[in-house]
Amino acid sequence: MQRSTLDLWVGLFVVGGIGALLVLAMKVGNMSGIGVSESYPLVAQFDNIGGLKPRAPVKSAGVVVGRVAAIQFDNEKFIARVTLNIDKHYTFPKDSSASILTSGLLGEQYIGLEGGGDTVNLNPGDRIRQTQSAVVLEKLIGQFLYSKAAEGGDKK
Amino acid sequence: MAIHKGLSLRGIGAKAIDSVLRLGYAARFIARTAASSGTSLRRPRLVIRELYFTGVLSLIIILVSGLFVGMVLGFQGYHTLQTYGSESALGVLVALSLVRELGPVVAALLFASRAGSAMTAEIGLMKATEQLSAMEMMAVDPIARVVAPRFWAGVISMPLLAAMFSAMGIFGGYLVGVVLIGVDEGSFWSQMQSAVDFREDIMNGVIKSVVFGFAVTWISLFEGYDAPPTAEGVSGATTRTVVTSSLAILALDFLLTAFMFRGV
């Protein structure tokens, strides 16, 4: 009798510990969510990806439709090649455009997909033709200063 | 004056040699424990009994501390994040700090003071009352019968306790952040899920807690086994267990963190 209650407690302890690990993996970590469901790859090329990271979300109209699978550097054209894994429930027209956006002022960067008007859809492995690079703050400020300086020069 | 200086110098030398000697003895002790773990495998009941004492009886303190640590993290994190207008990242803050650092470390510190000291006192008293010698007289190896099951129970229960601590802490952070303060529940969980990586964060936390469990159990068992067989000796050994294991946990934590997150 004594032994079996002891066993029960130890069993509960081990089950609780493994359960806590499972909760951490599923609820806290990213074992669940997109990535488990089936997806198809699309490729997009950017001049500059800014702070985009693998596993960053791909959103269309604000809805997460996929994730960034891989980021490679093309050493011939000196551009970034980004592979996107799109949930297979969603299809996008051939003339869709991809741009790198930032959520909030200091938030993480994600890829925004905007559907086009073409009747033919993108097939797995296709390349998204129209892309817009990440906005680099330093370049933006530089452009602003340059245009201001040019304005000032005109007035003189 | 000169004699006094010579004496203290000799004292320092003796202390240094003694501590190296003890380290060697401790290494031999753990090697013998590992070598004679066969009994624990053949009689898992011995380990289960120790799991009850080290794991199940530590549950209450671990769960309650986890809850409170998580709730405090919720308050403090909200207070700081709010000044940057990013209180939706509260879930990330609570989860990452618990899973990567606080879970394994605080759970191990609690484990050292709750279970480690008890193990030292138990084995020390067994030695003081000559129970260990009596076992040897009966041709029962005390290391295989007494030490090894406790060792494995400690190594097994530590990661489980740390995982429960982290899970409880995240629940505490959720209680304070979402239920009490009113951070958006969706962003709390979704930002947490996109920021916490299973292999990078959770598994590294588990590895940490296994290492801590190994270190704490080793220190407690050795201090108990090596304790002078007097009341004073056992009490000194118990104190040393808590102090040494706490220092070992923090030092190991620094080393492991430096190894694991080098690339980030």
Side-chain angles (χ1 to χ4, degrees):
Chain A
M1 187 63 203
Q2 178 62 31
R3 279 248 155 133
S4 72
T5 50
L6 195 142
D7 288 348
L8 178 73
W9 278 109
V10 174
L12 278 179
F13 168 67
V14 173
V15 167
I18 292 170
L21 259 183
L22 276 181
V23 166
L24 287 180
M26 293 304 170
K27 185 94 183 166
V28 178
N30 43 19
M31 288 283 274
S32 53
I34 289 181
V36 177
S37 62
E38 285 178 55
S39 59
Y40 65 93
L42 289 180
V43 178
Q45 294 179 337
F46 295 95
D47 293 334
N48 190 332
I49 57 163
L52 190 75
K53 291 190 178 68
R55 296 201 55 80
V58 178
K59 295 182 185 177
S60 187
V63 181
V64 178
V65 294
R67 290 206 179 270
V68 173
I71 299 172
Q72 284 141 353
F73 181 64
D74 188 332
N75 207 179
E76 278 163 19
K77 296 189 226 163
F78 303 112
I79 50 172
R81 233 177 99 88
V82 178
T83 313
L84 316 174
N85 272 346
I86 307 291
D87 195 310
K88 67 161 186 175
H89 296 109
Y90 308 110
T91 50
F92 289 90
K94 264 223 145 53
D95 59 344
S96 299
S97 66
S99 43
I100 297 178
L101 306 168
T102 310
S103 57
L105 191 60
L106 300 165
E108 53 168 2
Q109 290 193 301
Y110 66 95
I111 290 191
L113 270 184
E114 219 158 305
D118 208 307
T119 47
V120 187
N121 281 333
L122 283 166
N123 287 318
D126 278 2
R127 189 162 76 85
I128 300 172
R129 301 272 163 197
Q130 294 176 38
T131 60
Q132 198 185 352
S133 292
V135 174
V136 178
L137 210 58
E138 286 88 339
K139 278 190 183 169
L140 205 68
I141 293 171
Q143 273 177 5
F144 176 73
L145 289 179
Y146 188 74
S147 68
K148 274 287 167 196
E151 256 176 48
D154 286 348
K155 274 175 192 167
K156 270 178 194 171
Chain B
M1 189 69 190
I3 294 167
H4 177 73
K5 198 180 166 192
L7 265 180
S8 77
L9 249 183
R10 203 185 299 164
I12 292 170
K15 264 231 154 84
I17 291 174
D18 187 54
S19 51
V20 175
L21 210 132
R22 259 172 74 83
L23 197 66
Y25 185 39
R28 216 155 54 84
F29 173 77
I30 195 71
R32 231 187 104 193
T33 307
S36 47
S37 323
T39 317
S40 315
L41 273 178
R42 263 177 277 121
R43 293 172 63 188
R45 248 179 203 290
L46 288 175
V47 182
I48 287 175
R49 189 174 163 279
E50 296 311 324
L51 265 176
Y52 179 78
F53 287 111
T54 54
V56 177
L57 294 184
S58 309
L59 261 184
I60 300 282
I61 187 172
I62 291 281
L63 292 182
V64 173
S65 316
L67 186 69
F68 277 103
V69 167
M71 293 204 288
V72 169
L73 269 180
F75 274 124
Q76 298 280 22
Y78 179 78
H79 181 75
T80 308
L81 288 173
Q82 177 212 32
T83 46
Y84 301 102
S86 49
E87 55 266 30
S88 57
L90 184 65
V92 182
L93 178 112
V94 171
L96 279 185
S97 36
L98 275 167
V99 168
R100 276 160 78 143
E101 278 303 319
L102 288 174
V105 172
V106 179
L109 289 175
L110 291 170
F111 181 76
S113 36
R114 166 67 187 73
S117 56
M119 269 193 274
T120 305
E122 196 182 4
I123 294 184
L125 269 176
M126 276 183 170
K127 192 184 172 192
T129 52
E130 296 185 333
Q131 291 181 43
L132 295 184
S133 318
M135 276 185 187
E136 267 171 10
M137 296 287 272
M138 293 186 286
V140 176
D141 182 11
I143 295 225
R145 176 66 179 75
V146 173
V147 174
R150 283 172 174 72
F151 174 72
W152 288 112
V155 173
I156 293 169
S157 55
M158 190 57 241
L160 299 177
L161 287 172
M164 282 190 252
F165 185 96
S166 299
M168 208 61 197
I170 288 162
F171 177 67
Y174 165 82
L175 273 188
V176 165
V178 176
V179 179
L180 203 67
I181 300 180
V183 173
D184 180 54
E185 182 168 358
S187 60
F188 182 89
W189 289 116
S190 71
Q191 289 215 16
M192 187 193 294
Q193 279 162 7
S194 64
V196 179
D197 187 72
F198 180 73
R199 218 178 53 80
E200 278 284 304
D201 300 318
I202 298 178
M203 280 326 281
N204 278 356
V206 172
I207 292 171
K208 269 187 182 179
S209 57
V210 172
V211 174
F212 294 161
F214 176 83
V216 170
T217 327
W218 178 14
I219 290 169
S220 338
L221 292 174
F222 176 69
E223 287 291 356
Y225 197 75
D226 192 45
T230 56
E232 209 180 6
V234 174
S235 93
T238 315
T239 313
R240 268 203 309 281
T241 292
V242 177
V243 173
T244 319
S245 348
S246 306
L247 288 177
I249 290 164
L250 296 173
L252 279 173
D253 183 46
F254 171 74
L255 280 180
L256 288 173
T257 311
F259 272 125
M260 285 169 177
F261 304 125
R262 198 174 31 180
V264 179

Short mmCIF file of all heavy atoms in Angstrom, two decimals, chain B residues 113-174:
data_model
loop_
_atom_site.label_atom_id
_atom_site.label_comp_id
_atom_site.label_asym_id
_atom_site.label_seq_id
_atom_site.Cartn_x
_atom_site.Cartn_y
_atom_site.Cartn_z
N SER B 113 19.16 23.65 -2.04
CA SER B 113 18.88 23.89 -0.63
C SER B 113 17.79 22.97 -0.10
O SER B 113 17.78 22.64 1.08
CB SER B 113 18.52 25.36 -0.39
OG SER B 113 17.80 25.88 -1.46
N ARG B 114 16.88 22.53 -0.98
CA ARG B 114 15.81 21.67 -0.49
C ARG B 114 16.23 20.20 -0.48
O ARG B 114 16.13 19.53 0.55
CB ARG B 114 14.58 21.85 -1.39
CG ARG B 114 13.48 20.83 -1.27
CD ARG B 114 12.80 20.92 0.08
NE ARG B 114 11.85 19.82 0.27
CZ ARG B 114 12.19 18.57 0.49
NH1 ARG B 114 13.46 18.23 0.53
NH2 ARG B 114 11.27 17.65 0.65
N ALA B 115 16.69 19.70 -1.61
CA ALA B 115 16.98 18.26 -1.71
C ALA B 115 18.46 17.96 -1.44
O ALA B 115 18.78 16.96 -0.80
CB ALA B 115 16.59 17.75 -3.09
N GLY B 116 19.35 18.84 -1.91
CA GLY B 116 20.78 18.59 -1.75
C GLY B 116 21.18 18.52 -0.29
O GLY B 116 21.88 17.60 0.15
N SER B 117 20.71 19.51 0.50
CA SER B 117 21.09 19.52 1.90
C SER B 117 20.53 18.29 2.62
O SER B 117 21.19 17.71 3.49
CB SER B 117 20.59 20.80 2.57
OG SER B 117 19.20 20.90 2.40
N ALA B 118 19.32 17.89 2.24
CA ALA B 118 18.72 16.71 2.87
C ALA B 118 19.55 15.46 2.56
O ALA B 118 19.78 14.61 3.44
CB ALA B 118 17.29 16.53 2.38
N MET B 119 20.02 15.36 1.30
CA MET B 119 20.83 14.19 0.92
C MET B 119 22.12 14.16 1.73
O MET B 119 22.52 13.11 2.24
CB MET B 119 21.17 14.27 -0.57
CG MET B 119 20.16 13.59 -1.45
SD MET B 119 20.79 13.40 -3.11
CE MET B 119 20.36 14.94 -3.84
N THR B 120 22.78 15.32 1.86
CA THR B 120 24.02 15.38 2.62
C THR B 120 23.78 14.96 4.07
O THR B 120 24.53 14.13 4.63
CB THR B 120 24.60 16.80 2.61
OG1 THR B 120 24.74 17.21 1.27
CG2 THR B 120 25.93 16.85 3.30
N ALA B 121 22.75 15.53 4.68
CA ALA B 121 22.49 15.23 6.08
C ALA B 121 22.19 13.75 6.26
O ALA B 121 22.67 13.11 7.21
CB ALA B 121 21.31 16.08 6.57
N GLU B 122 21.41 13.18 5.32
CA GLU B 122 21.02 11.78 5.45
C GLU B 122 22.25 10.87 5.37
O GLU B 122 22.46 10.01 6.24
CB GLU B 122 20.03 11.44 4.34
CG GLU B 122 19.26 10.17 4.59
CD GLU B 122 18.34 9.85 3.44
OE1 GLU B 122 18.36 10.57 2.43
OE2 GLU B 122 17.61 8.85 3.55
N ILE B 123 23.06 11.10 4.34
CA ILE B 123 24.23 10.23 4.17
C ILE B 123 25.25 10.47 5.27
O ILE B 123 25.87 9.54 5.79
CB ILE B 123 24.83 10.42 2.77
CG1 ILE B 123 23.82 9.91 1.75
CG2 ILE B 123 26.14 9.67 2.62
CD1 ILE B 123 24.30 9.93 0.36
N GLY B 124 25.40 11.75 5.67
CA GLY B 124 26.32 12.06 6.75
C GLY B 124 25.93 11.36 8.04
O GLY B 124 26.77 10.79 8.74
N LEU B 125 24.62 11.37 8.33
CA LEU B 125 24.15 10.71 9.55
C LEU B 125 24.29 9.20 9.44
O LEU B 125 24.61 8.52 10.41
CB LEU B 125 22.68 11.07 9.81
CG LEU B 125 22.51 12.30 10.68
CD1 LEU B 125 21.05 12.64 10.82
CD2 LEU B 125 23.11 12.03 12.06
N MET B 126 24.03 8.67 8.23
CA MET B 126 24.22 7.23 8.02
C MET B 126 25.67 6.85 8.33
O MET B 126 25.93 5.80 8.91
CB MET B 126 23.92 6.86 6.57
CG MET B 126 22.48 6.61 6.27
SD MET B 126 22.36 6.11 4.56
CE MET B 126 20.68 5.59 4.51
N LYS B 127 26.59 7.75 7.93
CA LYS B 127 28.00 7.46 8.19
C LYS B 127 28.29 7.61 9.68
O LYS B 127 28.99 6.77 10.27
CB LYS B 127 28.85 8.44 7.39
CG LYS B 127 30.30 8.05 7.34
CD LYS B 127 31.11 9.11 6.62
CE LYS B 127 32.58 8.82 6.73
NZ LYS B 127 33.40 9.94 6.29
N ALA B 128 27.73 8.68 10.29
CA ALA B 128 28.01 8.93 11.70
C ALA B 128 27.48 7.80 12.58
O ALA B 128 28.09 7.44 13.58
CB ALA B 128 27.40 10.27 12.11
N THR B 129 26.33 7.25 12.23
CA THR B 129 25.76 6.16 13.02
C THR B 129 26.24 4.80 12.52
O THR B 129 25.66 3.77 12.87
CB THR B 129 24.22 6.22 12.98
OG1 THR B 129 23.81 6.29 11.62
CG2 THR B 129 23.70 7.44 13.71
N GLU B 130 27.24 4.82 11.68
CA GLU B 130 27.93 3.61 11.22
C GLU B 130 27.02 2.66 10.45
O GLU B 130 27.25 1.45 10.42
CB GLU B 130 28.60 2.89 12.39
CG GLU B 130 29.70 3.76 12.98
CD GLU B 130 30.48 3.07 14.07
OE1 GLU B 130 29.91 2.19 14.71
OE2 GLU B 130 31.66 3.41 14.24
N GLN B 131 25.99 3.21 9.82
CA GLN B 131 25.13 2.35 9.00
C GLN B 131 25.86 1.94 7.72
O GLN B 131 25.67 0.83 7.22
CB GLN B 131 23.85 3.09 8.62
CG GLN B 131 22.93 3.33 9.79
CD GLN B 131 21.68 4.05 9.36
OE1 GLN B 131 21.09 3.71 8.33
NE2 GLN B 131 21.25 5.02 10.13
N LEU B 132 26.68 2.89 7.20
CA LEU B 132 27.42 2.57 5.97
C LEU B 132 28.43 1.46 6.23
O LEU B 132 28.58 0.53 5.42
CB LEU B 132 28.12 3.82 5.42
CG LEU B 132 27.20 4.96 4.96
CD1 LEU B 132 28.02 6.08 4.35
CD2 LEU B 132 26.18 4.46 3.96
N SER B 133 29.12 1.55 7.40
CA SER B 133 30.08 0.50 7.73
C SER B 133 29.36 -0.84 7.93
O SER B 133 29.87 -1.89 7.51
CB SER B 133 30.81 0.86 9.02
OG SER B 133 31.15 2.21 9.02
N ALA B 134 28.16 -0.77 8.54
CA ALA B 134 27.40 -2.01 8.76
C ALA B 134 27.07 -2.66 7.43
O ALA B 134 27.13 -3.89 7.28
CB ALA B 134 26.12 -1.69 9.53
N MET B 135 26.72 -1.83 6.42
CA MET B 135 26.42 -2.38 5.09
C MET B 135 27.64 -3.08 4.52
O MET B 135 27.53 -4.17 3.94
CB MET B 135 26.01 -1.25 4.15
CG MET B 135 24.57 -0.86 4.25
SD MET B 135 24.21 0.35 3.01
CE MET B 135 22.58 0.77 3.49
N GLU B 136 28.79 -2.42 4.67
CA GLU B 136 30.02 -3.03 4.15
C GLU B 136 30.29 -4.36 4.83
O GLU B 136 30.74 -5.31 4.18
CB GLU B 136 31.20 -2.06 4.34
CG GLU B 136 31.43 -1.20 3.12
CD GLU B 136 32.44 -0.11 3.36
OE1 GLU B 136 33.10 -0.12 4.42
OE2 GLU B 136 32.56 0.77 2.49
N MET B 137 30.00 -4.43 6.14
CA MET B 137 30.19 -5.68 6.87
C MET B 137 29.33 -6.79 6.29
O MET B 137 29.69 -7.96 6.29
CB MET B 137 29.81 -5.49 8.36
CG MET B 137 30.67 -4.52 9.10
SD MET B 137 32.27 -5.20 9.41
CE MET B 137 31.94 -6.03 10.95
N MET B 138 28.13 -6.39 5.79
CA MET B 138 27.21 -7.39 5.22
C MET B 138 27.46 -7.59 3.74
O MET B 138 26.60 -8.12 3.03
CB MET B 138 25.77 -6.95 5.45
CG MET B 138 25.38 -6.95 6.90
SD MET B 138 23.64 -6.58 7.12
CE MET B 138 23.57 -4.87 6.81
N ALA B 139 28.61 -7.09 3.27
CA ALA B 139 28.99 -7.23 1.86
C ALA B 139 28.01 -6.54 0.92
O ALA B 139 27.78 -6.96 -0.20
CB ALA B 139 29.15 -8.69 1.46
N VAL B 140 27.38 -5.45 1.43
CA VAL B 140 26.56 -4.62 0.56
C VAL B 140 27.36 -3.36 0.30
O VAL B 140 27.82 -2.71 1.23
CB VAL B 140 25.22 -4.27 1.25
CG1 VAL B 140 24.43 -3.31 0.38
CG2 VAL B 140 24.42 -5.52 1.53
N ASP B 141 27.54 -3.04 -0.98
CA ASP B 141 28.32 -1.85 -1.32
C ASP B 141 27.46 -0.61 -1.06
O ASP B 141 26.45 -0.41 -1.73
CB ASP B 141 28.74 -1.92 -2.79
CG ASP B 141 29.59 -0.72 -3.18
OD1 ASP B 141 30.01 0.01 -2.27
OD2 ASP B 141 29.84 -0.55 -4.38
N PRO B 142 27.84 0.22 -0.08
CA PRO B 142 26.99 1.39 0.21
C PRO B 142 26.89 2.35 -0.96
O PRO B 142 25.89 3.04 -1.12
CB PRO B 142 27.67 2.03 1.42
CG PRO B 142 29.03 1.47 1.47
CD PRO B 142 28.99 0.13 0.83
N ILE B 143 27.96 2.40 -1.80
CA ILE B 143 27.88 3.32 -2.95
C ILE B 143 26.81 2.85 -3.92
O ILE B 143 26.01 3.64 -4.41
CB ILE B 143 29.26 3.42 -3.63
CG1 ILE B 143 30.23 4.07 -2.66
CG2 ILE B 143 29.17 4.17 -4.94
CD1 ILE B 143 31.10 5.12 -3.19
N ALA B 144 26.77 1.55 -4.18
CA ALA B 144 25.77 1.04 -5.11
C ALA B 144 24.38 1.09 -4.51
O ALA B 144 23.40 1.37 -5.21
CB ALA B 144 26.11 -0.40 -5.50
N ARG B 145 24.27 0.83 -3.19
CA ARG B 145 22.95 0.70 -2.57
C ARG B 145 22.38 2.04 -2.15
O ARG B 145 21.18 2.29 -2.26
CB ARG B 145 23.08 -0.24 -1.35
CG ARG B 145 21.84 -0.42 -0.52
CD ARG B 145 20.77 -1.14 -1.30
NE ARG B 145 19.58 -1.35 -0.49
CZ ARG B 145 18.72 -0.38 -0.18
NH1 ARG B 145 18.94 0.85 -0.61
NH2 ARG B 145 17.66 -0.64 0.56
N VAL B 146 23.25 2.96 -1.66
CA VAL B 146 22.76 4.22 -1.10
C VAL B 146 23.04 5.41 -2.02
O VAL B 146 22.16 6.24 -2.27
CB VAL B 146 23.41 4.46 0.29
CG1 VAL B 146 23.04 5.83 0.82
CG2 VAL B 146 22.99 3.38 1.25
N VAL B 147 24.27 5.48 -2.54
CA VAL B 147 24.67 6.70 -3.24
C VAL B 147 24.14 6.75 -4.68
O VAL B 147 23.54 7.73 -5.09
CB VAL B 147 26.21 6.84 -3.22
CG1 VAL B 147 26.65 8.02 -4.05
CG2 VAL B 147 26.70 7.00 -1.80
N ALA B 148 24.34 5.64 -5.42
CA ALA B 148 24.00 5.68 -6.85
C ALA B 148 22.51 5.96 -7.10
O ALA B 148 22.19 6.79 -7.96
CB ALA B 148 24.42 4.38 -7.53
N PRO B 149 21.56 5.32 -6.37
CA PRO B 149 20.16 5.65 -6.63
C PRO B 149 19.84 7.12 -6.40
O PRO B 149 19.10 7.73 -7.17
CB PRO B 149 19.39 4.78 -5.63
CG PRO B 149 20.31 3.70 -5.26
CD PRO B 149 21.68 4.25 -5.37
N ARG B 150 20.45 7.69 -5.35
CA ARG B 150 20.21 9.12 -5.08
C ARG B 150 20.79 9.97 -6.21
O ARG B 150 20.19 10.97 -6.62
CB ARG B 150 20.85 9.52 -3.76
CG ARG B 150 20.04 9.06 -2.58
CD ARG B 150 20.78 9.29 -1.28
NE ARG B 150 19.95 8.98 -0.14
CZ ARG B 150 19.62 7.76 0.23
NH1 ARG B 150 20.04 6.72 -0.46
NH2 ARG B 150 18.84 7.56 1.27
N PHE B 151 21.94 9.57 -6.71
CA PHE B 151 22.57 10.32 -7.79
C PHE B 151 21.67 10.35 -9.02
O PHE B 151 21.37 11.42 -9.58
CB PHE B 151 23.92 9.68 -8.13
CG PHE B 151 24.59 10.29 -9.32
CD1 PHE B 151 25.14 11.55 -9.25
CD2 PHE B 151 24.65 9.61 -10.53
CE1 PHE B 151 25.75 12.11 -10.34
CE2 PHE B 151 25.25 10.17 -11.62
CZ PHE B 151 25.80 11.43 -11.53
N TRP B 152 21.18 9.18 -9.43
CA TRP B 152 20.34 9.15 -10.63
C TRP B 152 19.03 9.86 -10.42
O TRP B 152 18.52 10.53 -11.32
CB TRP B 152 20.13 7.70 -11.10
CG TRP B 152 21.39 7.17 -11.68
CD1 TRP B 152 22.17 6.18 -11.16
CD2 TRP B 152 22.06 7.63 -12.85
NE1 TRP B 152 23.28 6.01 -11.93
CE2 TRP B 152 23.25 6.88 -12.97
CE3 TRP B 152 21.79 8.61 -13.79
CZ2 TRP B 152 24.15 7.07 -14.00
CZ3 TRP B 152 22.69 8.81 -14.83
CH2 TRP B 152 23.85 8.04 -14.92
N ALA B 153 18.47 9.73 -9.21
CA ALA B 153 17.22 10.44 -8.93
C ALA B 153 17.43 11.94 -9.06
O ALA B 153 16.58 12.64 -9.64
CB ALA B 153 16.73 10.09 -7.53
N GLY B 154 18.55 12.44 -8.57
CA GLY B 154 18.82 13.87 -8.69
C GLY B 154 18.97 14.31 -10.13
O GLY B 154 18.41 15.31 -10.55
N VAL B 155 19.73 13.52 -10.90
CA VAL B 155 19.97 13.89 -12.30
C VAL B 155 18.66 13.84 -13.09
O VAL B 155 18.43 14.67 -13.98
CB VAL B 155 21.04 12.98 -12.93
CG1 VAL B 155 21.18 13.23 -14.41
CG2 VAL B 155 22.37 13.20 -12.25
N ILE B 156 17.76 12.88 -12.77
CA ILE B 156 16.50 12.78 -13.51
C ILE B 156 15.55 13.89 -13.09
O ILE B 156 14.89 14.51 -13.93
CB ILE B 156 15.85 11.40 -13.28
CG1 ILE B 156 16.71 10.31 -13.91
CG2 ILE B 156 14.45 11.36 -13.85
CD1 ILE B 156 16.28 8.92 -13.51
N SER B 157 15.46 14.16 -11.79
CA SER B 157 14.40 15.07 -11.35
C SER B 157 14.72 16.53 -11.65
O SER B 157 13.81 17.33 -11.82
CB SER B 157 14.10 14.88 -9.87
OG SER B 157 15.25 15.03 -9.11
N MET B 158 15.99 16.88 -11.74
CA MET B 158 16.33 18.30 -11.94
C MET B 158 15.74 18.90 -13.22
O MET B 158 15.10 19.95 -13.16
CB MET B 158 17.86 18.43 -11.90
CG MET B 158 18.40 19.84 -11.83
SD MET B 158 17.80 20.76 -10.45
CE MET B 158 16.99 22.05 -11.31
N PRO B 159 15.94 18.27 -14.40
CA PRO B 159 15.33 18.88 -15.60
C PRO B 159 13.81 18.93 -15.54
O PRO B 159 13.20 19.90 -16.03
CB PRO B 159 15.80 17.99 -16.75
CG PRO B 159 16.42 16.82 -16.15
CD PRO B 159 16.79 17.14 -14.76
N LEU B 160 13.20 17.91 -14.92
CA LEU B 160 11.73 17.93 -14.81
C LEU B 160 11.29 19.10 -13.93
O LEU B 160 10.34 19.82 -14.25
CB LEU B 160 11.23 16.61 -14.22
CG LEU B 160 11.55 15.36 -15.04
CD1 LEU B 160 11.08 14.12 -14.31
CD2 LEU B 160 10.89 15.43 -16.40
N LEU B 161 12.00 19.29 -12.82
CA LEU B 161 11.64 20.39 -11.93
C LEU B 161 11.85 21.74 -12.63
O LEU B 161 11.02 22.64 -12.51
CB LEU B 161 12.50 20.34 -10.66
CG LEU B 161 12.16 19.22 -9.68
CD1 LEU B 161 13.19 19.16 -8.57
CD2 LEU B 161 10.79 19.44 -9.08
N ALA B 162 12.95 21.86 -13.39
CA ALA B 162 13.21 23.13 -14.07
C ALA B 162 12.14 23.41 -15.12
O ALA B 162 11.68 24.55 -15.26
CB ALA B 162 14.59 23.10 -14.72
N ALA B 163 11.70 22.36 -15.84
CA ALA B 163 10.66 22.56 -16.85
C ALA B 163 9.36 23.01 -16.18
O ALA B 163 8.68 23.92 -16.66
CB ALA B 163 10.44 21.27 -17.63
N MET B 164 9.04 22.38 -15.03
CA MET B 164 7.81 22.78 -14.34
C MET B 164 7.93 24.20 -13.80
O MET B 164 6.97 24.97 -13.83
CB MET B 164 7.52 21.80 -13.21
CG MET B 164 6.93 20.51 -13.73
SD MET B 164 6.33 19.49 -12.40
CE MET B 164 7.56 18.23 -12.43
N PHE B 165 9.12 24.54 -13.34
CA PHE B 165 9.35 25.90 -12.85
C PHE B 165 9.09 26.91 -13.97
O PHE B 165 8.37 27.88 -13.79
CB PHE B 165 10.80 26.02 -12.35
CG PHE B 165 11.13 27.33 -11.71
CD1 PHE B 165 11.07 27.48 -10.34
CD2 PHE B 165 11.53 28.41 -12.48
CE1 PHE B 165 11.38 28.68 -9.75
CE2 PHE B 165 11.83 29.62 -11.88
CZ PHE B 165 11.76 29.76 -10.53
N SER B 166 9.66 26.64 -15.16
CA SER B 166 9.48 27.57 -16.28
C SER B 166 8.03 27.66 -16.70
O SER B 166 7.50 28.76 -16.91
CB SER B 166 10.33 27.13 -17.47
OG SER B 166 11.68 27.11 -17.14
N ALA B 167 7.37 26.51 -16.80
CA ALA B 167 5.97 26.51 -17.23
C ALA B 167 5.12 27.29 -16.23
O ALA B 167 4.27 28.12 -16.60
CB ALA B 167 5.45 25.09 -17.37
N MET B 168 5.37 27.05 -14.96
CA MET B 168 4.61 27.75 -13.91
C MET B 168 4.90 29.25 -13.96
O MET B 168 3.99 30.07 -13.80
CB MET B 168 5.05 27.17 -12.56
CG MET B 168 4.01 27.25 -11.49
SD MET B 168 2.55 26.34 -11.95
CE MET B 168 1.42 27.03 -10.77
N GLY B 169 6.18 29.60 -14.19
CA GLY B 169 6.55 31.01 -14.26
C GLY B 169 5.87 31.71 -15.42
O GLY B 169 5.40 32.85 -15.28
N ILE B 170 5.79 31.03 -16.56
CA ILE B 170 5.13 31.65 -17.71
C ILE B 170 3.65 31.83 -17.42
O ILE B 170 3.05 32.86 -17.75
CB ILE B 170 5.38 30.80 -18.97
CG1 ILE B 170 6.83 30.96 -19.40
CG2 ILE B 170 4.47 31.23 -20.11
CD1 ILE B 170 7.32 29.92 -20.33
N PHE B 171 3.07 30.87 -16.71
CA PHE B 171 1.67 31.01 -16.31
C PHE B 171 1.53 32.22 -15.37
O PHE B 171 0.58 33.00 -15.50
CB PHE B 171 1.20 29.72 -15.63
CG PHE B 171 -0.21 29.81 -15.11
CD1 PHE B 171 -1.27 29.92 -15.98
CD2 PHE B 171 -0.45 29.79 -13.75
CE1 PHE B 171 -2.56 30.01 -15.51
CE2 PHE B 171 -1.74 29.87 -13.27
CZ PHE B 171 -2.80 29.99 -14.15
N GLY B 172 2.49 32.39 -14.45
CA GLY B 172 2.45 33.55 -13.55
C GLY B 172 2.56 34.85 -14.31
O GLY B 172 1.84 35.81 -14.04
N GLY B 173 3.46 34.88 -15.30
CA GLY B 173 3.59 36.08 -16.12
C GLY B 173 2.32 36.37 -16.89
O GLY B 173 1.90 37.52 -17.04
N TYR B 174 1.67 35.29 -17.35
CA TYR B 174 0.39 35.44 -18.06
C TYR B 174 -0.67 36.01 -17.12
O TYR B 174 -1.42 36.92 -17.48
CB TYR B 174 -0.03 34.07 -18.62
CG TYR B 174 -1.46 33.98 -19.06
CD1 TYR B 174 -1.85 34.45 -20.31
CD2 TYR B 174 -2.43 33.43 -18.23
CE1 TYR B 174 -3.16 34.37 -20.72
CE2 TYR B 174 -3.74 33.35 -18.63
CZ TYR B 174 -4.11 33.82 -19.88
OH TYR B 174 -5.40 33.75 -20.26
#
